[in-house]
Amino acid sequence: MTAKPADSLLSSLSSSDRWLIGLACALLFVWSLPGTIALRLFIIVVLLGLAVWKYLQPGLGIGETLRTHRKLFFTYGVLTLWIVVEALLFADDTAAVLKEFWGQWIRSGITGLIGFLVAALLVRRLPHRGGPLLATALMLTLALQVGLHDLDTLWRWWDEGSLPFQETRITQNRAGLSFVTNLLMALLSAEAMSRLLYRRSYMPIHWAWLLLLVGLCFFATYVLGTRYGTMGFLALLISCAIVALIAKRREINLALLVGAAAVVLAGIGAFGWSAMKSDQRWLSFAETVPIALDTEHQRAWRDDAQPLPLMANGSPVDHSAYMRFAWGKEAFLAIGRDPFGVGYGRNAFGTAMLRIHEDYASSKHCHSGVLNFAVGAGIPGLLLWLGFLGILAVNGWRSFFRDENPAGLLLLFVVSGFFMRSIVDGNFQDHMFEQFMFLAMLFNALALESQRTE
């Protein structure tokens, strides 16, 4: 699949196709902006209505597409049913859980359905062209946000005389922009790997622009200084090396492999070292972790009024690392106590803590998305969620490694990146979860449908 020039792609679009792509890009752009909840909901409703109207048009065969993905939709449906049943049987406050279920789970499911329908419709309408155009438009939307942040940072550096670390004025907070940066880097990496490994372009963008956008991601990751965003960024680079090794395992020269691995590891190490040096919190990380895991004798993790424990040098432990590790340990213990969960929701961890600590007065979320979900939905819910992600990952794997379809690697990187970050970050909620469902289901449709229509 060689990408067509952008102008030839655009000339094939009908007015409804342009609206689908334009609204999809608008939704992706406003998701991370503060004060846009009403606008997001409006775009979601309009986009859903347009997608369903297009779906009902005869001759597109979208019903066949839905049947092709029935395992994915069935797994999601069973998980949805389990969350409701679990709320009725095991939740302390069923009404509150069902409210969260509607506001978080159902809304994210709707955005996932929108992403799936938009991609399937465009691919069915424009085989070979719809998928690359949609992927490029979304990639440029993410690049616009990251680029605006980088330009604003450089302007402030020039105007204020110092580089503003760990700040952003583009999105609601730096964690949100870090999430956008990771998504953009996943798309760019998938495109670059396809070109390098199979000499196949998917998005109609010149190599020079591709490298420029990669540079924007490196700079944004460095100055944002979110530790878990940086870890996700480095994990993506390592994933690229693994993908290359798997794809070219029969052709690799040992000496070349060793040399390339040394260069890649040196580059990753240099970037990681510079990121650590720019964030002083890393220096206290090793001493903070064992103190945080001693939750039996420390109380700061469950009472905001308590002072933080002190390290050997008399300084307080790093707040973020201390809280995340302490909450993480207690989340594991909570899953063991209530294997069927305490009720789905963003505050599931807090609910579990109040069951054993009546005086609990700290965060209601353990800042690990997947652990918080497991505390709420229980082990059955976690297994079903992992099954859902597994189906998406297998679809992406087969599409890329078997069919050499670049959209498959786009899907694989988006899914794996979200899952790895959900282990250490609270991205399993609100607009970040909606964004993930939208993009994952969209690229899932492109990965399978693009290949099937060729």
Side-chain angles (χ1 to χ4, degrees):
M1 182 189 305
T2 301
K4 304 284 195 298
D7 54 351
S8 65
L9 293 176
L10 290 171
S11 63
S12 306
L13 295 175
S14 66
S15 59
S16 59
D17 294 331
R18 295 172 188 268
W19 273 106
L20 279 176
I21 296 175
L23 287 170
C25 292
L27 180 60
L28 188 61
F29 186 81
V30 303
W31 248 321
S32 303
L33 302 183
T36 58
I37 295 178
L39 179 58
R40 284 183 233 158
L41 292 176
F42 175 75
I43 297 175
I44 287 172
V45 170
V46 174
L47 191 51
L48 178 63
L50 179 59
V52 171
W53 174 75
K54 290 277 289 182
Y55 164 74
L56 295 176
Q57 301 299 306
L60 286 177
I62 303 298
E64 179 187 349
T65 297
L66 293 174
R67 287 191 294 273
T68 301
H69 298 268
R70 60 186 178 275
K71 291 182 180 179
L72 185 66
F73 287 106
F74 177 77
T75 303
Y76 181 85
V78 172
L79 176 52
T80 301
L81 179 62
W82 163 253
I83 291 175
V84 175
V85 171
E86 188 257 357
L88 298 174
L89 296 179
F90 303 106
D92 293 341
D93 188 344
T94 299
V97 172
L98 292 179
K99 182 179 179 181
E100 283 284 286
F101 168 74
W102 173 255
Q104 294 286 319
W105 186 261
I106 294 300
R107 187 183 297 177
S108 296
I110 289 173
T111 61
L113 178 62
I114 290 173
F116 181 88
L117 288 177
V118 169
L121 286 165
L122 286 171
V123 170
R124 286 287 176 151
R125 269 266 303 118
L126 301 167
H128 314 296
R129 301 187 297 277
L133 180 57
L134 178 60
T136 304
L138 296 175
M139 181 273 293
L140 292 176
T141 301
L142 296 173
L144 177 60
Q145 283 188 309
V146 176
L148 287 174
H149 163 78
D150 287 356
L151 286 175
D152 182 60
T153 299
L154 292 173
W155 165 257
R156 293 180 62 189
W157 189 9
W158 179 80
D159 185 53
E160 300 170 7
S162 61
L163 188 64
F165 280 104
Q166 301 179 349
E167 298 177 25
T168 183
R169 300 190 294 190
I170 304 302
T171 59
Q172 188 168 2
N173 52 52
R174 61 194 181 99
L177 188 59
S178 173
F179 184 72
V180 169
T181 303
N182 282 8
L183 284 175
L184 175 60
M185 189 62 189
L187 269 61
L188 297 173
S189 298
E191 176 68 18
M193 295 305 294
S194 177
R195 295 185 183 191
L196 292 171
L197 298 176
Y198 298 135
R199 301 186 183 277
R200 304 182 73 181
S201 298
Y202 189 68
M203 294 183 281
I205 177 174
H206 193 274
W207 260 114
W209 287 107
L210 191 66
L211 293 175
L212 174 63
L213 295 179
V214 169
L216 292 180
C217 291
F218 269 91
F219 180 70
T221 301
Y222 173 71
V223 295
L224 285 172
T226 58
R227 286 185 293 187
Y228 302 106
T230 302
M231 290 167 61
F233 193 87
L234 296 176
L236 178 63
L237 297 179
I238 295 172
S239 298
C240 288
I242 294 173
V243 165
L245 180 62
I246 294 173
K248 297 298 182 180
R249 59 190 180 279
R250 296 185 180 88
E251 309 168 22
I252 291 177
N253 178 281
L254 182 59
L256 179 62
L257 173 63
V258 172
V263 171
V264 170
L265 290 176
I268 293 174
F271 181 77
W273 180 83
S274 63
M276 289 177 63
K277 293 294 288 183
S278 67
D279 188 348
Q280 295 299 311
R281 296 176 302 170
W282 284 107
L283 301 178
S284 62
F285 185 81
E287 191 174 350
T288 296
V289 172
I291 298 175
L293 294 178
D294 183 19
T295 55
E296 293 81 10
H297 300 94
Q298 303 292 342
R299 293 177 56 86
W301 66 270
R302 61 185 175 101
D303 187 349
D304 290 337
Q306 295 291 324
L308 289 172
L310 301 179
M311 296 185 294
N313 62 4
S315 301
V317 296
D318 173 55
H319 181 273
S320 176
Y322 170 80
M323 293 298 181
R324 287 174 189 266
F325 275 90
W327 291 332
K329 174 189 172 180
E330 290 298 317
F332 273 108
L333 296 177
I335 295 169
R337 287 191 301 267
D338 297 292
F340 293 106
V342 300
Y344 171 81
R346 289 166 293 181
N347 298 327
F349 176 72
T351 300
M353 291 300 98
L354 286 171
R355 285 187 173 186
I356 61 170
H357 301 295
E358 294 183 357
D359 61 342
Y360 184 78
S362 188
S363 174
K364 300 296 180 64
H365 191 289
C366 65
H367 286 253
S368 166
V370 69
L371 283 180
N372 196 71
F373 178 79
V375 170
I379 294 176
L382 176 63
L383 293 176
L384 286 167
W385 173 249
L386 294 177
F388 178 77
L389 292 185
I391 294 172
L392 289 171
V394 168
N395 287 344
W397 181 281
R398 288 176 176 172
S399 178
F400 183 73
F401 288 106
R402 184 185 64 189
D403 304 323
E404 299 184 4
N405 183 359
L409 194 56
L410 290 174
L411 172 61
L412 189 59
F413 278 167
V414 167
V415 172
S416 61
F418 178 86
F419 174 73
M420 287 188 291
R421 185 155 182 172
S422 72
I423 296 174
V424 295
D425 212 349
N427 61 345
F428 207 145
Q429 62 184 46
D430 301 327
H431 71 275
M432 290 183 287
F433 188 32
E434 294 175 11
Q435 275 182 300
F436 166 72
M437 288 294 292
F438 175 78
L439 291 174
M441 294 299 288
L442 184 148
F443 288 125
N444 180 69
L446 292 185
L448 272 68
E449 280 297 295
S450 294
Q451 192 65 32
R452 216 156 61 84
T453 55
E454 288 192 19

